[in-house]
Structure formats: C-alpha cells, structure tokens
Amino acid sequence: MPESRNIVIFDTTLRDGEQSPGCSMNRGEKLEVAQALVDLGVDVIEAGFPIASPGDFESVRDIARNIRGATICGLARCNDKDIDRAWEALQDAPDARIHVFLATSAIHRQFKLKMDKEEIIRRAIAGVKRAKSVCDNIEFSPEDAARTEPDFLCEVVEAAIAAGATTVNIPDTVGYATPVHMGGVIRNLVERVPNIDQAVISVHCHNDLGLAVANSLASVENGAGQIECTVNGLGERAGNCALEEVVMAMRTRGDHYHVETRIHSSRLVPTSRLVSHITGMRVQRNKAIVGRNAFAHEAGIHQDGMLKERTTYEIMRPEDVGFTKTDLVLGKHSGRAALADRAEELGYHLEEQQLAEVFAAFKQLADKKKEVYDGDIVALVEQRNTQIADQWQMVAYEVHVSAGAKPTATITLSRSDETRTCAKQGGDGPLDAIFRAIEQITGKSVVVHDFRVQSATPGKDAQGESMVVVEYEEQLYRGRGVSTDTVEAAARAFLNAINHIEIGVSGTAVAKRGRTV
Ligand code: KIV
Ligand code: ZN
C-alpha cells in the first residue's frame, strides 16, 4: 500500500464564495464562518481581498486578529498597493499567507492586461518578491492557468517559485477544463518545472461545466498537494469546488487516492448549514454529502437492502458527515444543558449570554410546540444572531384581511426609548401592508428583490423561516426572521434587513457581476 500524502485544504468561502451574487456577509458573520472553518479543520482560510473595499479590509483584519488554528490568507493583485494593503490586514495573524495573482493566458494577456509574456513574468516576480519581503508564506496564482500555453505556464511557475512562492496555485478560472485536461496541466508542471519540489502545487477549479470536484481530484492524482474549495461549492458564477464533496471523495475512496486531510468530517453538515443560513443560499435537497436527501433511501428494494446490510446501498454513514441520528430532540421539560449540547452537535457553540437568550426563546417555542426539532434549534440560534442591539424592534402587529377589501396592517416598533405605530393599506396583500408600515416608521424606502418563507421543520406547527433581500441606494441587504406565525416571520425578516441598513452593515452592490476578480 502506498503511503498516504496530506492534502492541504484551502478554503475560499470568505473570498471567492463571497463573490457569488447575493452571498455577501458582514464582519460578524465572516468571523463566525472563519471560526467554523477552524473547527472543521481547514488548513488555510482565504479571508478576503483587502484592497477590494474598506469592509473587505476590516474583515480580513478581524479574522487575522481573532481567529487561531489556521493560516489566514489575503488576496492581492501583483502590484505594490494591493500587496501592502493585504499585509496591513494580515500582519497580526500568527500564521499569515499573502496570495498574489496575475493572469497568464493569451486571452487575458491580450484583452484584459494588454501585456506581453515578458511583462507578465516581470510583474509576477516583482509581486512575489514584494510579498516575500514581509511574509514568508506566499502563494502565487497564474489566473486562467488552465487556458495558458503549457510552456509559458511552466516558465511563469518556475519564475514565481524562484522569486519565493511557497505555493503555486493553478486556477481553472472559467471552469473550462475537463479531468484529463486538468490532470495533464498539473502533470506537465510536475515533470517540467525544475524547482517544482520547492513549492506545493495547488488547484483552484470553478464549476461552470459541473466538473470542479472531478478536476480537483484529477489534479491530486497528478501531484497537487493543496485543493482550494468552498463550503457548499459557493463561488463566482456556478461556484468553486465543493469542500464537502472533494474531501469525502478522497476519504471514501482512500483505496484509490491514498491521501488524507485534517478535516473533521462530522463538522461538514453543521458548517454547511451555518454557511447556508448566513448567506441565504439554500442547499439543494439532493446535493451530495450535505443535502437533506443525500442519505434518504426511498425505493423499496434499497430500503430492504439497507435493513439487511447497510453497505448494500450506503458508501458513507450519515453520522460521518455530521447528520445526527435522530431529529426529534427536546420538549418543554428539557433543560439548558440539553439545549447547549444539542446546539453544539448542530455546529453552534453558545457562550453563556447567548445560551441564556436562546434558552428563553426555546422555552417560549416549547410552550407553543410540543416537539422541538433540530431545525427549530438552528432557526432559534440563527434568529438570535440576526438580532441587532439598539435598532428597531417589533413590539406588536395586527393584520386585517377579508375577501374583497384591501388588507391593512398596524405595526408598532420601538428603538431605544421611542415607540412608534403606523397603519397602512396594502395593494398587494397583507405583507405589502406590513412592509409599507415598517418603511413609514423607519423612514427607509426599499425595493424587495427576493422574498422566501420556508418551514424549519415538518408539521403544521412548524416555525416559518423567512428571508428577504431588499435594495437601498443601489446596495442589497439581507434580512431573516423566524416565527411560528409566517406573517410575523416575514415582518421580522423585513425589519432585520432595514436594521442592517440602519447600522451600516455593508450591502452588496446591485450589479455585483462586474467585480474585479
Ligand atoms: O478563479 C481564479 O482564478 C481566482 C484566482 C484569484 C485564484 O479566484
Ligand atoms: Zn476563483
């Protein structure tokens, strides 16, 4: 049996993942995700692109200052300003990495950069050297590497390593590669770059053809030692290589890959849930590894086989990836410790004050519902995370709906020591009336871009979870709300989005597709 190699897991959920339209996170949310990534066992966290905006800078700095247990990485183009800004954000991390990139393919050289090959090599060397002058751990990415001429790619990679790069990352920026192609790109570097043994080869695959995981695995087979990936496969356009899929493929097929990672696989589902809740990007039911149906056996023949011997139809155990064995958990007699334990299993570590708040909400819910499920607990914890101190709180609401008449809503909100009430008619239904009343009280007029309500758990008495995206001054803001009353959940979600505007949480530019990287 060949000896196992370790594969470095480089997570870019907070950088490439956050670039997905509608996936922006605020500073607190990014810290929460970063901590979850450490708990999951990732080796490197790409925390952001510090030059992109003051918000990105502050988030990378927060993570560098507060998160321990992983290398913290920041992205920079190959120019002094970007690199200096990245280092300014990263310098307090005990273990930092600067990731510099420059496009190398003919199409990018000609149309985007208007640079010839010599200029690219010169800038790549200068960028790596500048970064190396402040930080030992340097990653260099030739952007669009998969479409770069093989000879030129070898030249650039050799020059970057000679200049001090300790990791050379090979991106399939546009998701064009196929597994045989991508494997060949990596093999070519292994065989032809003379100093390749002085750096780790990394791979960064996009999913435009649905091949990001397959291409990453092919790269590992051909010598890659680091995979760049994101939780739930978030990322530009169709996303990046999904962390949970690539890790479980290597683990489940260890007989073939002979590699290991530091990932605690039982944290995969909790981390997936957390990222999904924070970004508002739902995980499709049949998504491999973390989808709700990933381990559900419907066909009679399969169920029969499973009962006789689990391995007839199951290649992984649900508990290996963090699905809990039972879903029915707590009731109104359950105590604080039981709630804390269950929350921990679901991926949330609650400090004393947080636990006290969630426990109070849990007791109220348990009075209304006989059985409190995992989904309810996730919703309660997430609801607490969305509450913003000292902003508008909902005190009361009343809605009148009857056939043939316009619905009316009366809302009372309070903030610090002021309380205001407003009644409005809705042209398009009761929610329209509620949203208008909230707009009137808060003085914030917004456009609703997206609005959803889903149940957190099965059953008629399920809690409704609502998610709303609103536009205000060309920025998009997300809000979430939870209640056993779906109208109230929607009102809370709308108010939460308005509160985000009020406290100046950075929104997402409406036309996000035009971003630099
Ligand atoms: O897709 C890409 O090429 C990137 C680079 C910045 C690594 O995200
Ligand atoms: Zn990318």
Side-chain angles (χ1 to χ4, degrees):
M1 266 269 279
E3 217 179 287
S4 282
R5 286 189 294 142
N6 185 61
I7 300 294
V8 175
I9 297 297
F10 175 115
D11 180 278
T12 183
T13 307
L14 294 170
R15 200 277 298 170
D16 217 328
E18 212 235 354
Q19 287 176 211
S20 319
C23 277
S24 288
M25 297 170 234
N26 65 38
R27 280 167 71 180
E29 290 169 338
K30 285 185 183 176
L31 270 174
E32 210 182 325
V33 170
Q35 185 56 54
L37 293 172
V38 169
D39 297 343
L40 178 63
V42 310
D43 300 283
V44 186
I45 296 174
E46 187 162 52
F49 185 20
I51 197 86
S53 71
D56 277 41
F57 173 85
E58 281 156 14
S59 297
V60 177
R61 196 180 50 187
D62 282 350
I63 292 171
R65 286 183 176 168
N66 295 299
I67 300 295
R68 298 291 173 262
T71 303
I72 309 299
C73 175
L75 183 67
R77 286 167 294 195
C78 266
N79 66 59
D80 294 356
K81 241 175 111 186
D82 274 38
I83 294 166
D84 295 351
R85 189 76 171 144
W87 183 240
E88 205 186 327
L90 289 168
Q91 61 191 345
D92 294 331
D95 186 3
R97 174 183 294 186
I98 303 179
H99 177 188
V100 289
F101 75 99
L102 180 65
T104 50
S105 65
I107 205 159
H108 280 236
R109 292 196 311 263
Q110 185 184 348
F111 296 106
K112 187 177 90 173
L113 300 173
K114 304 195 189 323
M115 288 179 199
D116 60 18
K117 288 182 175 171
E118 287 68 40
E119 179 70 357
I120 297 284
I121 301 253
R122 201 183 61 70
R123 291 206 187 207
I125 293 175
V128 171
K129 283 194 168 159
R130 176 116 189 160
K132 193 79 180 180
S133 69
V134 289
C135 180
D136 279 342
N137 190 342
I138 303 303
E139 173 166 326
F140 173 75
S141 288
E143 191 191 1
D144 204 17
R147 291 194 301 171
T148 298
E149 305 92 313
D151 290 351
F152 183 54
L153 187 62
C154 286
E155 247 186 275
V156 179
V157 165
E158 184 181 349
I161 296 172
T166 40
T167 299
V168 281
N169 177 46
I170 307 304
D172 178 21
T173 303
V174 291
Y176 176 74
T178 60
V180 170
H181 170 182
M182 200 64 202
V185 172
I186 303 297
R187 175 115 324 260
N188 186 46
L189 296 173
V190 171
E191 286 173 355
R192 294 182 45 210
V193 173
N195 55 2
I196 199 72
D197 58 335
Q198 291 165 35
V200 173
I201 304 178
S202 168
V203 64
H204 175 112
C205 295
H206 279 271
N207 204 31
D208 299 66
L209 295 173
L211 293 172
V213 171
N215 290 342
S216 304
L217 292 171
S219 303
V220 166
E221 283 177 300
N222 284 281
Q226 172 177 289
I227 296 177
E228 301 204 351
C229 46
T230 56
V231 175
N232 297 338
L234 293 183
E236 281 276 359
R237 309 180 308 278
N240 288 59
C241 171
L243 184 153
E244 56 282 355
E245 293 180 20
V246 80
V247 164
M248 287 314 289
M250 291 189 292
R251 180 156 308 176
T252 308
R253 295 307 312 274
D255 61 318
H256 178 72
Y257 292 106
H258 305 293
V259 293
E260 276 167 11
T261 69
R262 288 179 50 243
I263 296 297
H264 308 297
S265 63
S266 62
R267 304 297 304 172
L268 288 169
V269 168
T271 313
S272 159
R273 280 196 187 129
L274 178 74
V275 169
S276 169
H277 266 91
I278 284 182
T279 58
M281 287 283 267
R282 281 171 76 176
V283 172
Q284 78 198 51
R285 284 181 84 112
N286 63 337
K287 160 100 171 56
I289 316 296
V290 293
R292 256 163 88 176
N293 286 2
F295 292 89
H297 299 274
E298 186 71 27
I301 295 175
H302 290 202
Q303 288 175 350
D304 179 54
M306 284 283 293
L307 289 173
K308 289 179 174 141
E309 167 54 42
R310 188 187 60 78
T311 54
T312 50
Y313 286 101
E314 210 164 71
I315 57 169
M316 300 166 272
R317 291 178 311 167
E319 55 270 33
D320 292 343
V321 300
F323 280 111
T324 42
K325 279 190 216 108
T326 158
D327 194 30
L328 178 61
V329 272
L330 305 174
K332 70 177 179 193
H333 301 297
S334 307
R336 195 183 286 244
L339 177 69
D341 269 6
R342 199 62 194 174
E344 192 84 42
E345 270 194 56
L346 293 168
Y348 301 96
H349 176 71
L350 301 176
E351 300 298 343
E352 210 169 309
Q353 177 58 25
Q354 297 169 316
L355 178 60
E357 287 165 20
V358 175
F359 188 63
F362 162 76
K363 281 286 173 191
Q364 277 181 9
L365 181 67
D367 268 345
K368 289 191 206 159
K369 281 183 97 202
K370 252 197 351 247
E371 292 160 339
V372 179
Y373 294 87
D374 287 351
D376 289 315
I377 294 172
V378 169
L380 289 180
V381 176
E382 289 297 329
Q383 165 73 5
R384 196 211 66 85
N385 289 345
T386 63
Q387 280 160 1
I388 302 161
D390 287 329
Q391 294 306 313
W392 292 108
Q393 309 278 346
M394 199 157 69
V395 177
Y397 86 97
E398 214 180 293
V399 183
H400 288 285
V401 190
S402 58
K406 282 195 172 175
T408 55
T410 307
I411 288 264
T412 303
L413 302 181
S414 73
R415 178 175 62 173
S416 306
D417 47 8
E418 62 175 322
T419 300
R420 294 196 210 161
T421 299
C422 173
K424 280 274 174 199
Q425 273 197 334
D428 291 327
L431 292 182
D432 187 34
I434 289 179
F435 292 175
R436 282 175 196 227
I438 292 176
E439 284 182 312
Q440 172 89 38
I441 294 177
T442 60
K444 293 276 178 293
S445 179
V446 299
V447 178
V448 176
H449 272 243
D450 194 4
F451 167 65
R452 289 180 242 158
V453 185
Q454 67 179 80
S455 68
T457 54
K460 283 195 207 123
D461 60 353
Q463 292 195 99
E465 274 185 289
S466 178
M467 205 277 301
V468 63
V469 178
V470 301
E471 179 183 341
Y472 180 73
E473 293 183 347
E474 291 180 16
Q475 298 277 309
L476 297 177
Y477 296 86
R478 253 193 336 267
R480 284 195 304 260
V482 177
S483 171
T484 42
D485 169 348
T486 51
V487 174
E488 184 182 326
R492 287 190 180 281
F494 189 78
L495 187 60
N496 183 235
I498 300 260
N499 277 333
H500 282 138
I501 299 170
E502 289 265 349
I503 58 160
V505 163
S506 51
T508 318
V510 173
K512 191 158 185 186
R513 280 155 219 267
R515 227 172 125 154
T516 25
V517 193

